[in-house]
């Protein structure tokens, strides 16, 4: 097709993509049809830059009930129960309108989970903001945290964990990744495939308005300096309506009425109807005059592309329509049969008695563009010796500075705005290595965490991807849980730039290797690209959300020191790795060099050993070592339990800065009352172990340093966030 015959506004499609759409249609699409192609072929919906690479991830295991491809993934946790979970991004909307962007991100991921038939039991998040001195950062933090808390708290779902990080690369493009975990019966997991012809298609939930139109397309393009003009593309959420929708859907799911169900998320009625038809191998006809609407004069384009929240589309068994209407009327929600499935293989949209859009479903889905984009692999950075980083002149001052920095300070100001205890099943909430939530009515608990170290990924995408998976696995092991599966949120810049595509592929390759080595399959996820503003990309941030299982929640531990006299034992090999470390940034103002490598075999040995010792009751506290290294982990354990410690031993072959602050991977700091037995067991398991000292007192006492009181540590650790937010 010639350039002269193409419309001026291709709605985000490239000229070649528009020409392909015309070829599929056999003519030029009208405005509504073009909107359908644009959202379904957007990066957000079609994964056109990543599909070929996502297929390389391991997605199966004997306990995996549902892998990628549905609203969320599901794993078998025994007793006829499944854990259903997923993570998803709402980055661009949250930068434009932080409260509603974050709130609707939480609402959307909860719908993904309860669409599968699961009752949500926990929310987590992973947040990245710009530099603290950026003039927008406080405003964005305040809005995002309020939005997450406002929606989750109103839904009665506890927010039990997450992470908050800062970096100048996020100044113009923050990240808001939301994760939900739910519980379903294994024999009552619902999917989206609308198999069968002549079946009623029912719309349920809130009414449709003009908010969020082309939100999926907006999320598939980088920002310019005029980001705020896109505010109308941000959805508006109502958690009270969603609570009603949750209860109504679960009530209907307890019957045999539903054949298929799909959340109206990104691309709204378009994506839900197309995905249900495609997965069922059928066509679908929709009469827009029957769609409940809260605004007058809406066009077919607006109704099909609206991303109004708290809506579902379902295919019912014939004759069950009235039963469904009665349930939704009881919960004061709209419910209307708006169409039926057909044998035509086409999406046919009617309005005012006329065909407003007609698109063949199979080619719309199967011929969606898939690109093998050019990529450039980043040169491996040099390894930096610990001795190349200046040693701290004052160990006490260095520890207090690190603990009080934006990187490592307490996030209490954030998580105290979330209700982490609603539902009365939270056993361990924010502040530990992983949250623990009881599986109601059983002795089981689910452990859950989110994690990523973007500076590692930026330095070496392959190693950074491996490390993100390994640290999430380690976090679950540290509380005594057997890691079962993960979900991921791949936040990257513009994939049309070869260096960004190189980051993405490198990270995926690293994640795949770690997932296989640790039997930690990927069961769901989300890709968020074009996270950059005016050509400046974020740090590559492949967030991992991990879930593990504890058979008896009495056999779990936290990270707080609580027993006087317990021995402190360091597990795992220490080299004193300071490349890309937070201590290096503190000492030099830079994070350069190679990130710490991950020995996956050693990681697995150490994690399995820790879990076995926790189950045997030999460990009273456990903390994985990550940002800030050994001394930061020790301080965090002391603060968490309100008990000090005396360190009497260190490895003299390693420079002091590397020993105290090295970020070597695969390590845990544990407290045990039987150190000799514990050390012998570690040796037998092939896990390096070193006794460092013992818990006790009200200070940290280190070799050659005056005691550091817990009062001073707590003041440094908990002071930064409240002071920063109060300075608005």
């Amino acid at each position: 097709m010639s350039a002269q015959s193409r419309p001026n506004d291709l709605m985000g499609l490239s000229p070649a993509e528009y020409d392909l759409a015309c070829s599929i249609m056999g003519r030029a699409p009208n405005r509504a049809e073009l909107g359908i192609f644009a959202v379904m072929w957007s990066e957000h919906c079609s994964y056109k830059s990543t599909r070929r690479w996502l297929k390389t991830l391991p997605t199966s295991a004997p306990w995996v009930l549902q892998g990628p491809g549905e609203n969320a993934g599901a794993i078998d946790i025994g007793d006829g129960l499944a854990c259903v979970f997923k993570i998803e991004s709402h980055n661009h909307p949250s930068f434009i309108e932080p409260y509603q962007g974050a709130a609707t991100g939480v609402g959307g991921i909860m719908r993904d989970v309860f669409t599968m038939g699961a009752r949500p039991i926990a929310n987590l998040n992973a947040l990245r903001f710009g530099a603290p001195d950026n003039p927008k950062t406080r405003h964005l933090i305040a809005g995002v945290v309020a939005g997450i808390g406002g929606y989750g708290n109103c839904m009665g779902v506890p927010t039990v964990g997450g992470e908050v990080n800062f970096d100048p690369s996020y100044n113009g493009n923050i990240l808001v990744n939301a994760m939900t975990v739910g519980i379903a019966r294994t024999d009552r997991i619902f999917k989206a495939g609308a198999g069968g012809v002549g079946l009623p298609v029912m719309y349920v939930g809130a009414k449709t308005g003009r908010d969020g139109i082309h939100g999926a397309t907006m999320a598939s393009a980088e920002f310019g300096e005029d980001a705020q003009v896109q505010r109308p593309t941000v959805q508006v959420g109502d958690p009270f309506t969603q609570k009603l929708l949750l209860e109504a859907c679960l009530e209907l799911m307890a019957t045999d009425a539903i054949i298929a169900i799909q959340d109206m998320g990104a691309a709204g009625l378009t994506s839900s109807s197309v995905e249900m038809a495609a997965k069922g191998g059928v066509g679908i006809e929709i009469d827009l005059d029957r769609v409940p609407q809260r605004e007058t004069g809406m066009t077919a384009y607006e109704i099909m592309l609206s991303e109004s929240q708290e809506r579902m589309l379902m295919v019912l068994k014939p004759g069950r329509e009235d039963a469904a209407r009665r349930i939704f009327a009881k919960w004061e929600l709209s419910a209307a049969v708006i169409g039926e499935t057909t044998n035509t293989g086409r999406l046919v949209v009617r309005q005012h008695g006329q065909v407003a859009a007609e698109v063949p479903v199979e080619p719309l889905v199967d011929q969606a563009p898939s690109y093998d984009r050019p990529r450039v692999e980043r040169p491996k950075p040099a390894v930096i010796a610990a001795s190349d980083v200046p040693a701290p002149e004052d160990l006490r001052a260095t520890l207090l500075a690190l603990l009080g920095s934006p990187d490592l300070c307490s996030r209490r100001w954030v998580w105290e705005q979330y209700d982490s205890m609603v539902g009365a099943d939270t056993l361990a909430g924010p502040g530990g290595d992983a949250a623990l939530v009881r599986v109601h009515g059983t002795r089981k608990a689910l452990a859950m965490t989110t994690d990523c170290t973007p500076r590692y990924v930026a330095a070496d995408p392959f190693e950074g991807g491996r490390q993100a998976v390994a640290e999430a696995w380690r976090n679950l092991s540290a509380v005594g849980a057997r890691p079962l599966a993960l979900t991921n949120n791949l936040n990257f810049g513009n994939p049309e730039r070869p260096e960004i595509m190189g980051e993405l592929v490198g990270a995926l390759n690293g994640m795949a290797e770690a997932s296989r080595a640790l039997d930690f399959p990927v069961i769901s996820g989300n890709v968020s690209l074009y996270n950059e503003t005016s050509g400046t990309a974020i740090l590559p941030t492949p967030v991992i959300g991990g879930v593990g299982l504890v058979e008896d929640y009495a056999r779990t531990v936290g990270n707080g020191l609580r027993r006087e006299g317990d021995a402190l034992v360091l597990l795992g090999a220490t080299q004193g790795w300071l490349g890309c470390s937070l201590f290096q940034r503190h000492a030099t103002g830079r994070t350069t060099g190679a990130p710490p490598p991950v020995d996956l075999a050693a990681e697995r040995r150490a994690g399995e050993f820790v879990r076995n010792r926790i189950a045997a009751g030999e460990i009273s506290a456990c903390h994985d070592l990550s940002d800030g290294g050994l001394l930061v982990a020790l301080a965090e354990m002391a603060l968490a339990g309100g008990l000090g410690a005396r360190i009497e031993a260190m490895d003299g072959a390693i420079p002091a800065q590397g020993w105290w602050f090295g970020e070597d991977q695969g390590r845990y700091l544990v407290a045990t009352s039987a150190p000799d037995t514990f050390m012998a067991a570690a040796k037998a398991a092939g896990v390096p172990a070193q006794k460092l000292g013992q818990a006790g007192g009200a200070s940290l006492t280190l070799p050659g340093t005056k005691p550091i009181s817990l009062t001073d540590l707590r003041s440094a650790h908990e002071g930064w966030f409240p002071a920063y937010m109060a300075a608005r």
Side-chain angles (χ1 to χ4, degrees), residues 448-651:
M448 51 201 77
T449 186
T450 59
D451 223 309
C452 182
T453 311
R455 65 182 185 279
Y456 291 173
V457 188
D460 185 333
F462 179 76
E463 280 297 337
R466 281 160 45 101
Q467 189 275 339
V469 171
E471 184 166 356
W473 191 88
R474 195 183 318 135
N475 286 341
L476 300 173
S477 297
V479 299
R482 179 167 71 95
L484 289 180
L486 66 88
T487 181
N488 59 57
N489 208 138
L490 307 177
N491 306 275
F492 288 81
N494 184 344
E496 298 168 48
R497 295 167 53 195
E499 63 272 25
I500 301 297
M501 201 64 210
E503 289 177 346
L504 179 52
V505 173
L508 278 168
N509 288 340
M511 292 163 58
E513 183 174 293
S515 297
R516 288 192 182 92
L518 299 173
D519 280 343
F520 199 30
V522 181
I523 65 164
S524 60
N526 172 248
V527 178
S528 175
L529 304 181
Y530 296 94
N531 287 292
E532 55 183 80
T533 301
S534 301
T536 300
I538 62 165
L539 290 178
T541 312
V543 172
I544 302 298
V547 172
L549 178 66
V550 177
E551 293 291 344
D552 182 354
Y553 55 72
R555 295 293 187 177
T556 61
V557 298
N559 64 350
L561 299 178
R562 301 188 187 280
R563 290 198 318 212
E564 288 269 356
D566 272 5
L568 299 176
V569 178
L570 175 63
L571 295 175
T574 299
Q575 300 177 38
W577 199 282
L578 290 177
C580 284
S581 69
L582 293 182
F583 175 77
Q584 183 198 35
R585 176 186 291 171
H586 170 78
T588 69
R590 303 186 303 276
T591 50
T592 59
V598 179
D599 181 334
L600 292 169
E603 186 81 61
R604 183 160 185 162
R605 283 194 301 273
E608 290 176 349
F609 175 74
V610 165
R611 294 199 303 274
N612 289 337
R613 295 305 99 191
I614 291 173
E618 297 176 9
I619 293 176
S620 62
C622 181
H623 193 13
D624 87 302
L625 272 63
S626 55
D627 285 346
L630 171 61
L631 193 50
V632 167
L634 176 64
E636 289 173 344
M637 293 180 77
L639 291 173
L643 187 64
R646 176 182 294 274
I647 301 300
E648 299 159 348
M650 59 182 292
D651 190 335

Side-chain angles (χ1 to χ4, degrees), residues 88-152:
E88 194 159 276
S89 61
H90 231 218
N91 303 335
H92 286 45
S94 298
F95 181 78
I96 297 169
E97 211 302 301
Y99 184 93
Q100 288 295 349
T104 53
V106 172
I109 194 63
M110 279 198 277
R111 282 196 304 280
D112 282 341
V113 167
F114 74 75
T115 301
M116 300 287 291
R119 178 174 290 278
I121 63 166
N123 290 329
L124 300 91
N125 53 72
L127 312 178
R128 263 81 188 181
F129 297 102
D133 60 1
N134 183 277
K136 293 182 179 179
T137 298
R138 283 188 190 86
H139 163 71
L140 291 169
I141 293 172
V144 165
V145 170
I148 291 171
Y151 208 105

